[in-house]
Amino acid sequence: MTASRKTVGTIAVYLGTCMATIAISIVTVALPAIQKDFDADITALQWIVGSYALCLSAFMLSAGPLGDRYGRRRVWLSGVAIFALGSALATGAVTLPMLIAGCAVQGIAGALVIPGALSILTQTYRDAVQRSRVIGGWASVSAISLILGPFAGGILVDLFGWFSVFLINVPLGLVTLILGRIGIEESADPDHAAFDPAGQLLSVIALGALTLALTEAGRSGWDTMLALSAFVVAGLSFLAFLAVETRVARPVLPVDLFRDRRFAAVNIASFVLGFMGYSSLFFFSLFLQDAQQLSATQAGLRMAPVFLSMAVLASRFGRLSHRFGQFGPMVAGYALMGVAMLGMTGFAPDTSYVLLFALFLLLGVGMGLSVPATSAAVMTMTPRARTGAASATLNTMRQSGMTIGIALLGSLMAGASARALTLGRSAAEATAEGFGVAVLWGGISAVAVSLFLIAAMRPSARAQREQA
């Protein structure tokens, strides 16, 4: 493949990632307008956002091996096309169920697009230095997309209406399809791809039920009938899934790869990255708006250092990994994230933005190192024929970590805030105290995983004897 064609294909992958990532945040600013147009209650609004997250989480693991089996280019382009169709459905929605259905279709398509990106980049770039560079660029696009969502969405809603936050994906999807057909070369490894219908079905049920349970628990409480029932279904499905995966010849979860402790460690780190890193963005927004009484736009601007520093570091990851390897930047990234979040535990309503800026900047540097390093490390450890399954596993771990982080850390934050109110604290002070508890546990988990990675990546005693 020529260099120019590789560049076109890389741009297509970046655009597809931008489209699928920006959908996570852009719709949030349109919710008040949607609520007014459809006379919707809070539960309905939560399902507009939740339907995307639920379908994305539920189908991501089972979607990854489809590219390995039927063609990575074909499956990824199909995901882009389905995403554009789901966006068109949401754009023309005349009822709330139709809008929710459009968001659900977007989630299913996102499950094909997001893990497929890493697999395609790995197949396209055989050189490790080039691969690290483009994966760093992919991480930068993800970071920029997250922060562009609320700002672009606010402008579109003000100028054209809520439907425009979905309509924008239609031309973006068409451009991505054209560039992808030109620049992405087909690759497949059907002999090595997972063939596990039972495991795929059980993974969808388990991940979907877990996402539903956590969403419902965070909304209505952990003891509601729907939440408890969903937890039971998730637990039973997961046990059945593990039983199937240990017996089937080609499982959807690459169980044999987890025998490599380095592969297992990096995937655990990816879960923690979602648990404390990605979920923290929601808590920052709550702190800035509820504790420091800022508007949504002001809060977004003050969070910009996180994304900007992440984008800058991620874009330079190729050079850093060439000089220091993947392991050093990965451990440093998690450690810096942990230090930054532990430094936020004392935040108060009157905390100066100078301190916030410094710690947000440090957090972004940590994420800019850890996101591409974690992704590149998994791709390096995985046989080329199984990159689709490995990428899907990595992204499923990260997405599941974010979902659990929002629910669990959110519950800890709500509980601490409620206790502070009973002690006579103001609402702003109570929010700040709850925020402190959430970032404390997030920081502890990041520091712990950095130490865990050091231990897991250390050569075994047997390897040391062989080297001696």
Side-chain angles (χ1 to χ4, degrees):
M1 184 188 294
T2 63
S4 59
R5 188 179 174 190
K6 281 185 179 181
T7 301
V8 171
T10 302
I11 292 172
V13 170
Y14 285 2
L15 286 176
T17 298
C18 176
M19 183 178 66
T21 304
I22 206 171
I24 298 172
S25 58
I26 195 171
V27 72
T28 56
V29 296
L31 292 179
I34 293 172
Q35 184 177 30
K36 182 178 179 181
D37 271 12
F38 289 105
D39 192 25
D41 59 17
I42 297 299
T43 301
L45 293 180
Q46 287 179 319
W47 273 110
I48 292 172
V49 179
S51 60
Y52 181 84
L54 190 149
C55 291
L56 183 67
S57 297
F59 288 94
M60 190 174 286
L61 184 62
S62 59
L66 293 178
D68 293 339
R69 172 169 290 278
Y70 299 108
R72 299 177 180 92
R73 175 178 180 268
R74 179 182 294 111
V75 170
W76 188 82
L77 290 175
S78 298
V80 173
I82 295 170
F83 200 101
L85 289 174
S87 300
L89 176 63
T91 300
V94 294
T95 65
L96 204 56
M98 185 176 175
L99 177 57
I100 293 172
C103 293
V105 172
Q106 284 183 320
I108 295 172
L112 297 172
V113 172
I114 293 176
L118 273 178
S119 182
I120 289 171
L121 293 177
T122 301
Q123 294 294 327
T124 303
Y125 293 90
R126 304 298 178 96
D127 179 73
V129 175
Q130 286 186 323
R131 185 167 61 245
S132 295
R133 178 174 54 81
V134 296
I135 288 177
W138 169 82
S140 297
V141 169
S142 298
I144 294 171
S145 300
L146 282 173
I147 194 170
L148 278 180
F151 294 124
I155 294 171
L156 289 171
V157 171
D158 288 340
L159 291 178
F160 306 107
W162 63 262
F163 64 88
S164 59
V165 303
F166 300 102
L167 179 61
I168 191 175
N169 290 320
V170 178
L172 181 58
L174 291 176
V175 171
T176 303
L177 278 173
I178 293 171
L179 294 178
R181 289 181 65 85
I182 295 172
I184 299 175
E185 195 173 58
E186 185 61 279
S187 63
D189 294 281
D191 294 336
H192 298 277
F195 184 72
D196 182 15
Q200 288 177 303
L201 177 61
L202 288 169
S203 72
V204 170
I205 295 173
L207 290 170
L210 179 61
T211 304
L212 174 61
L214 292 169
T215 302
E216 176 64 18
R219 182 178 67 86
S220 303
W222 297 83
D223 57 349
T224 62
M225 182 58 68
L226 178 57
L228 292 174
S229 300
F231 275 122
V232 170
V233 171
L236 293 176
S237 301
F238 182 67
L239 291 175
F241 172 71
L242 290 180
V244 169
E245 297 308 279
T246 56
R247 289 171 173 79
V248 72
R250 284 182 282 175
V252 66
L253 182 73
V255 178
D256 59 319
L257 295 180
F258 276 90
R259 296 191 183 101
D260 182 344
R261 66 177 184 178
R262 300 175 305 155
F263 182 88
V266 173
N267 273 278
I268 292 171
S270 182
F271 175 87
V272 173
L273 179 61
F275 177 81
M276 55 74 55
Y278 281 54
S279 68
S280 68
L281 306 178
F282 294 88
F283 304 122
F284 295 158
S285 179
L286 289 174
F287 171 79
L288 292 169
Q289 293 184 66
D290 294 345
Q292 297 206 325
Q293 302 297 302
L294 300 174
S295 68
T297 302
Q298 290 173 325
L301 286 171
R302 281 163 173 74
M303 290 168 58
V306 178
F307 303 101
L308 294 177
S309 57
M310 177 182 174
V312 170
L313 263 294
S315 66
R316 287 162 171 73
F317 176 72
R319 296 178 183 176
L320 291 171
S321 64
H322 179 65
R323 182 173 181 180
F324 301 105
Q326 295 169 355
F327 172 66
M330 180 166 55
V331 172
Y334 283 98
L336 290 175
M337 287 192 293
V339 170
M341 295 192 74
L342 290 175
M344 298 177 193
T345 55
F347 277 12
D350 59 350
T351 297
S352 168
Y353 182 62
V354 173
L355 179 58
L356 269 71
F357 178 87
L359 291 176
F360 280 173
L361 199 67
L362 186 63
L363 179 69
V365 170
M367 293 183 72
L369 292 172
S370 58
V371 173
T374 304
S375 302
V378 165
M379 292 297 98
T380 300
M381 298 172 188
T382 305
R384 297 185 62 83
R386 303 177 67 188
T387 53
S391 176
T393 301
L394 179 79
N395 282 281
T396 299
M397 295 290 282
R398 188 174 300 168
Q399 178 68 26
S400 300
M402 184 177 74
T403 303
I404 294 173
I406 293 172
L408 180 57
L409 296 179
S411 295
L412 292 174
M413 179 177 178
S417 297
R419 288 192 295 272
L421 287 173
T422 62
L423 296 174
R425 307 283 198 277
S426 67
E429 290 172 334
T431 298
E433 289 193 27
F435 174 79
V437 172
V439 294
L440 171 64
W441 286 105
I444 290 173
S445 66
V447 172
V449 85
S450 66
L451 298 175
F452 172 70
L453 284 170
I454 292 174
M457 298 298 178
R458 185 179 300 163
S460 65
R462 179 179 177 182
Q464 289 177 335
R465 288 196 299 270
E466 290 175 351
Q467 291 175 357

